[in-house]
Amino acid sequence: MPKTIVGLGEVLTDQFPEYEKPGGAPANVVYNLAQLGNEALLVSAVGQDQTGRMLRSFLTQNGLDTRYVQESGKPSGTVKVTFNGSEASYAITEDVAWDDIRWNPGLQELAARTDAVCFSTLSQRAATSAATIERFLQSVPSGCLRVLDVNLRPPFFSRALIESSFQLADVVKVNEHEYAEIEALLGRGDLRGLLLHEFGLKLLIITLGKNGSRCVTADTDAHYPTQPIDTSSGDSVGVGDAFIACVIHHLLKGSPMDETMRRANRYAGLVAAQQGAMVPIEETHLNEIR
């Protein structure tokens, strides 16, 4: 039976130099979880504008249920994406629809049947959405897997936000640069110990770009290399979101950690080989990764 997995936060358009594509970390995670065969639901908001209609249409056309994508009086979210080599930089529009996600009885019902939920630091930059996300996380069953995908986008984070997010999570995914930045921000030289022992995390995952990823628990610290793939025609946008989606999929299946990380690295590579965050993956590849 498919698991019910929820992504909390932004859906928006990524505005590249030559084109636009749908994006937003929680939306990317939900899209990829649906490709992997799960009941994946996005809790977000779009504006009453052409961009909002396009985003809702894209999600629907790709088989995603949009009943929890609210309509806001604020404009739909947009991000200008620029590149330095293959690495992306983001200019994120403020005071937009996904900052205005509001609590309602439907979210209470959804939270009660959620098997896993993914949220991010960026999604909590505005008070309204932050309150809704926190309430949702506090309303899920005790066995629900709560996954924090750290997205440090200046100036939309603070020490207080990061610490409160850690308290709501079971699993944290962070890239190597963010890991170092959080250590400095918290004044701790041992972020691993802080997360696993003081915040009680079950799992810390550190992505290392082309060098793969680290998987850290109270007892282990293992490195998993990437698998060779041609990424010359792709980009780095949404690759971490694809990675964590695959991790969530296999954690819920109870797959061994080495298998989980190997398949997540492989899946991330398939996304990196294409342009944009929500891209189609061939069914043969999906069957191998599922």
Side-chain angles (χ1 to χ4, degrees), residues 178 181 184 213 280:
E178 291 166 334
E181 193 167 354
S213 53

Side-chain angles (χ1 to χ4, degrees), residues 141-161:
S142 59
C144 177
L145 184 69
R146 299 172 302 171
V147 180
L148 171 63
D149 187 3
V150 174
N151 283 307
L152 300 187
R153 305 283 188 241
F156 306 120
F157 66 90
S158 65
R159 175 173 180 159
L161 172 62

Side-chain angles (χ1 to χ4, degrees), residues 10-14 21-24 27 51 55 77-79 92 98 278:
E10 64 271 20
V11 63
L12 45 81
T13 56
D14 286 324
K21 286 198 172 186
T51 297
L55 289 169
T78 58
V79 175
I92 307 169
W98 61 264
M278 299 190 221

Side-chain angles (χ1 to χ4, degrees), residues 158-238:
S158 65
R159 175 173 180 159
L161 172 62
I162 291 168
E163 290 183 334
S164 64
S165 296
F166 287 159
Q167 291 171 344
L168 292 167
D170 303 306
V171 176
V172 167
K173 191 271 285 182
V174 60
N175 69 38
E176 57 186 326
H177 306 296
E178 291 166 334
Y179 184 89
E181 193 167 354
I182 293 171
E183 280 193 330
L185 184 66
L186 300 185
R188 295 289 295 256
D190 179 24
L191 183 58
R192 168 189 173 178
L194 175 69
L195 292 175
L196 296 175
H197 302 300
E198 295 186 31
F199 285 102
L201 292 187
K202 298 174 182 175
L203 176 63
L204 169 64
I205 297 171
I206 306 167
T207 57
L208 308 171
K210 294 179 180 180
N211 294 319
S213 53
R214 281 174 61 196
C215 177
V216 183
T217 69
D219 303 316
T220 62
D221 186 346
H223 174 251
Y224 298 90
T226 56
Q227 299 177 11
I229 192 165
D230 181 9
T231 59
S232 58
S233 60
D235 59 49
S236 62
V237 177

Side-chain angles (χ1 to χ4, degrees), residues 2-222:
K3 298 292 187 180
T4 299
I5 310 171
V6 173
L8 301 172
E10 64 271 20
V11 63
L12 45 81
T13 56
D14 286 324
Q15 299 178 335
F16 296 85
E18 289 88 24
Y19 55 87
E20 292 186 2
K21 286 198 172 186
N28 298 339
V29 171
V30 164
Y31 173 92
N32 286 295
L33 280 163
Q35 284 207 109
L36 292 170
N38 302 278
E39 182 193 19
L41 298 160
L42 177 64
V43 175
S44 189
V46 296
Q48 303 169 25
D49 50 27
Q50 183 176 350
T51 297
R53 291 188 288 274
M54 181 277 290
L55 289 169
R56 195 182 292 276
S57 176
F58 175 86
L59 296 171
T60 301
Q61 289 172 7
N62 283 277
L64 293 170
D65 187 335
T66 62
R67 79 180 99 164
Y68 301 105
V69 178
Q70 302 170 12
E71 191 172 89
S72 169
K74 297 179 184 293
S76 298
T78 58
V79 175
K80 291 191 182 299
V81 185
T82 55
F83 292 95
N84 181 9
S86 63
E87 290 301 312
S89 296
Y90 306 92
I92 307 169
T93 307
E94 298 185 54
D95 196 27
V96 292
W98 61 264
D99 291 312
D100 190 38
I101 305 168
R102 298 176 179 270
W103 185 258
N104 59 50
L107 294 184
Q108 185 72 49
E109 179 276 331
L110 175 61
R113 64 182 183 88
T114 296
D115 295 299
V117 55
C118 186
F119 68 109
S120 79
T121 47
L122 177 61
S123 304
Q124 302 172 75
R125 69 177 182 176
T128 300
S129 291
T132 298
I133 290 168
E134 181 177 357
R135 186 168 179 180
F136 191 99
L137 292 165
Q138 293 173 338
S139 300
V140 298
S142 59
C144 177
L145 184 69
R146 299 172 302 171
V147 180
L148 171 63
D149 187 3
V150 174
N151 283 307
L152 300 187
R153 305 283 188 241
F156 306 120
F157 66 90
S158 65
R159 175 173 180 159
L161 172 62
I162 291 168
E163 290 183 334
S164 64
S165 296
F166 287 159
Q167 291 171 344
L168 292 167
D170 303 306
V171 176
V172 167
K173 191 271 285 182
V174 60
N175 69 38
E176 57 186 326
H177 306 296
E178 291 166 334
Y179 184 89
E181 193 167 354
I182 293 171
E183 280 193 330
L185 184 66
L186 300 185
R188 295 289 295 256
D190 179 24
L191 183 58
R192 168 189 173 178
L194 175 69
L195 292 175
L196 296 175
H197 302 300
E198 295 186 31
F199 285 102
L201 292 187
K202 298 174 182 175
L203 176 63
L204 169 64
I205 297 171
I206 306 167
T207 57
L208 308 171
K210 294 179 180 180
N211 294 319
S213 53
R214 281 174 61 196
C215 177
V216 183
T217 69
D219 303 316
T220 62
D221 186 346

